[in-house]
Amino acid sequence: MSLRSVVIVGASLAGLAAAHRLRDLAFDGTITIVGEEESPPYQRPPLSKQFLTGDWERPRLDLRIQRQDFDWRLGARATGLNVAERRVTLASGEHVPFDGLVIATGARARAPAGFAGRNGAYTLRTVEDASAIRDRIARGARKAVVVGAGFIGCEVASSLRKLGCDVTVVEMDRLPLLRVLGERLGEVCRTLHEAHGVKLELGIGVDGFAGSDAIEGVRLSDGRVIEAEIVIAGIGVTPNVGWLEDSGLDLQNGVLCDATGMAAENIVAAGDVARWDHPRYGPVRIEHWDSAIGQGEAAAATLISGRERAAAFDMTSFFWSDQYENKMQLVGMPQSPDELRVVEGALDERRFVAVFLRGGRVTGAFLYNSMHRVIAYKAMVDSNAHLEAKTA
Ligand SMILES: Cc1cc2nc3c(=O)[nH]c(=O)nc-3n(C[C@H](O)[C@H](O)[C@H](O)COP(=O)(O)OP(=O)(O)OC[C@H]3O[C@@H](n4cnc5c(N)ncnc54)[C@H](O)[C@@H]3O)c2cc1C
């Protein structure tokens, strides 16, 4: 079927990348971009970094829109998809027909039980969330608890220290970022945060929250209560697939796609919402910036070329994180038995590179203040090189 109209649901990074790529591929039909948020697409990574600290203001977050010929439907939530009749239903009741559909509805932050709706309790996914946290601190909140020591939790802790807050981080695992980075790099993160005056409560869960309307503290599973004026939960995300429940698409931890991003005939998914059958990693949902762009572009190409001629999306996972003055980058998706070897610098220095190895081959690389080396290590991870083959 030739495509005359493409609807993109999700007006953010992956959706915009798909829209741009459709035009680059000479698609001249209508492109309708439906987005629940009122604002045009913006960058989320600075929300826990430069925007939270006040170093950046709102206009700097805007994503660049390179074309005038998109039909924007902002402030419009999709509530249903009818695959057979090729239409998306909006909360207003309107039906939007399509020949091709890009699902790019991303993910939302999870909140602990008994958390949402309390004064002083925040998650961080949107610019409104980040503005509300900033506002609260500007109004004098100083005692902060961050629940979860993943990348978002660690970045928030770092930004709140910069704003002069007393920060405690509560984490179920024994170390920050343990599941992503493993024991030795988790230890590096622990040392980093402690050196910046963050109190870490590790290996302990959250049992509930003190206070009624306004949050007054975080109750730990050992019964202690950490006093807090502001609590930010960074405990992961849930893919936004609620609107697809009756669509018949396979929705297990995201929209299941083949290796080309296709979920059904002329229906593709991209970004944080997509569980893509990655040629090297298997079915995986990657929640990173580069991947959202790459998938958005690949999904557009799949729509244009059709399933038979579409190429598998085989991008190496990449993520960066800024904490205090430090730049961290993780290339690849190392698994827990992989061996960690420091190949440049040392773990207790301000600059190092460590690689993850499986059978002597490089499965991942963690770069700490070593951004200039990322291309070289990315090439090694891409080709699953033997460490001995490392070039200078
Ligand atoms: C605080 C923060 C910091 C981050 N830092 C980094 C970082 O340092 N490095 C990195 O690599 N990545 C980082 N990320 C991750 C990166 O921002 C995401 O991977 C990226 O935003 C995913 O893009 P997306 O378009 O798939 O989804 P999203 O950006 O989540 O966009 C999805 C859009 O769809 C809309 N939507 C949802 N449901 C509907 C519906 N039913 N109808 C219409 N619209 C809908 C949403 O409102 C949203 O606008 C960070 C994310 C956050 C939140």
Side-chain angles (χ1 to χ4, degrees):
M1 179 180 70
S2 81
L3 300 179
R4 292 309 309 147
S5 61
V6 173
V7 171
I8 298 173
V9 184
S12 184
L13 190 61
L16 185 62
H20 283 144
R21 180 50 60 99
L22 283 168
R23 288 291 186 237
D24 290 347
L25 293 171
F27 174 70
D28 62 0
T30 58
I31 298 178
T32 305
I33 306 180
V34 176
E36 183 171 15
E37 293 181 83
E38 298 283 346
S39 45
Y42 58 89
Q43 310 171 54
R44 294 184 205 278
L47 299 181
S48 49
K49 309 176 184 75
Q50 302 92 330
F51 184 76
L52 193 57
T53 56
D55 291 334
W56 287 19
E57 289 305 333
R58 177 65 184 86
R60 204 161 162 187
L61 298 181
D62 286 341
L63 284 169
R64 210 161 76 81
I65 298 166
Q66 294 161 15
R67 310 276 313 203
Q68 302 297 319
D69 52 0
F70 301 143
D71 172 19
W72 292 94
R73 308 293 296 273
L74 297 177
R77 183 163 55 88
T79 53
L81 165 65
N82 189 321
V83 171
E85 292 178 16
R86 318 297 292 170
R87 62 178 199 209
V88 169
T89 304
L90 306 186
S92 61
E94 185 190 345
H95 300 298
V96 187
F98 63 82
D99 296 331
L101 175 69
V102 181
I103 298 170
T105 41
R108 62 183 179 280
R110 287 210 307 263
F115 188 71
R118 292 205 197 202
N119 208 334
Y122 301 94
T123 53
L124 179 51
R125 185 77 197 177
T126 65
V127 67
E128 288 78 18
D129 297 334
S131 300
I133 297 169
R134 263 173 69 159
D135 215 53
R136 183 85 185 184
I137 291 168
R139 283 188 285 117
R142 285 294 170 271
K143 287 182 197 146
V145 174
V146 178
V147 180
F151 279 111
I152 302 268
C154 286
E155 289 181 357
V156 168
S158 151
S159 295
L160 295 191
R161 284 298 294 147
K162 192 168 175 189
L163 291 170
C165 294
D166 295 331
V167 181
T168 303
V169 175
V170 183
E171 166 59 53
M172 291 262 277
D173 284 337
R174 286 175 291 109
L175 289 168
L177 291 161
L178 181 69
R179 267 172 272 182
V180 196
L181 297 179
E183 187 93 25
R184 290 170 71 200
L185 294 175
E187 193 60 51
V188 170
C189 294
R190 182 181 69 79
T191 310
L192 173 68
H193 286 278
E194 284 179 348
H196 285 84
V198 171
K199 190 156 185 298
L200 293 165
E201 292 284 353
L202 299 171
I204 195 153
V206 168
D207 218 26
F209 300 94
S212 49
D213 285 355
I215 217 156
E216 289 169 13
V218 176
R219 194 174 310 108
L220 303 184
S221 50
D222 63 5
R224 283 179 297 142
V225 173
I226 305 172
E227 230 184 290
E229 294 160 300
I230 176 166
V231 180
I232 296 126
I235 59 167
V237 298
T238 306
N240 286 322
V241 294
W243 67 286
L244 297 167
E245 244 153 41
D246 299 326
S247 66
L249 296 183
D250 194 339
L251 306 174
Q252 296 163 49
N253 183 24
V255 178
L256 186 68
C257 310
D258 67 12
T260 72
M262 203 163 257
E265 192 58 31
N266 286 341
I267 297 179
V268 291
D272 286 14
V273 75
R275 195 153 65 88
W276 200 294
D277 191 9
H278 193 286
R280 280 174 290 149
Y281 308 139
V284 65
R285 205 168 55 73
I286 297 179
E287 299 160 9
H288 303 335
W289 175 272
D290 280 46
S291 189
I293 297 174
Q295 287 186 345
E297 294 179 346
T302 294
L303 274 186
I304 297 299
S305 63
R307 194 193 287 270
E308 269 67 51
R309 288 188 296 128
F313 177 76
D314 192 18
M315 187 189 220
T316 294
S317 171
F318 171 78
F319 183 87
W320 80 93
S321 178
D322 302 341
Q323 295 171 37
Y324 309 101
E325 305 312 319
N326 304 292
K327 305 268 180 212
M328 306 178 189
Q329 292 167 303
L330 178 66
V331 182
M333 293 192 84
Q335 305 292 323
S336 77
D338 295 354
E339 176 204 345
L340 185 82
R341 195 172 309 166
V342 179
V343 288
E344 295 187 26
L347 293 186
D348 57 0
E349 288 175 7
R350 263 195 50 77
R351 194 186 292 274
F352 68 84
V353 179
V355 293
F356 294 85
L357 299 170
R358 200 176 307 157
R361 289 183 178 275
V362 181
T363 57
F366 181 75
L367 295 90
Y368 192 84
N369 293 323
S370 304
M371 287 161 75
H372 61 297
R373 300 291 286 139
V374 74
I375 292 173
Y377 284 97
K378 193 169 170 302
M380 293 179 71
V381 178
D382 278 346
S383 61
N384 198 214
H386 263 289
L387 183 59
E388 284 65 35
K390 177 167 93 78
T391 49

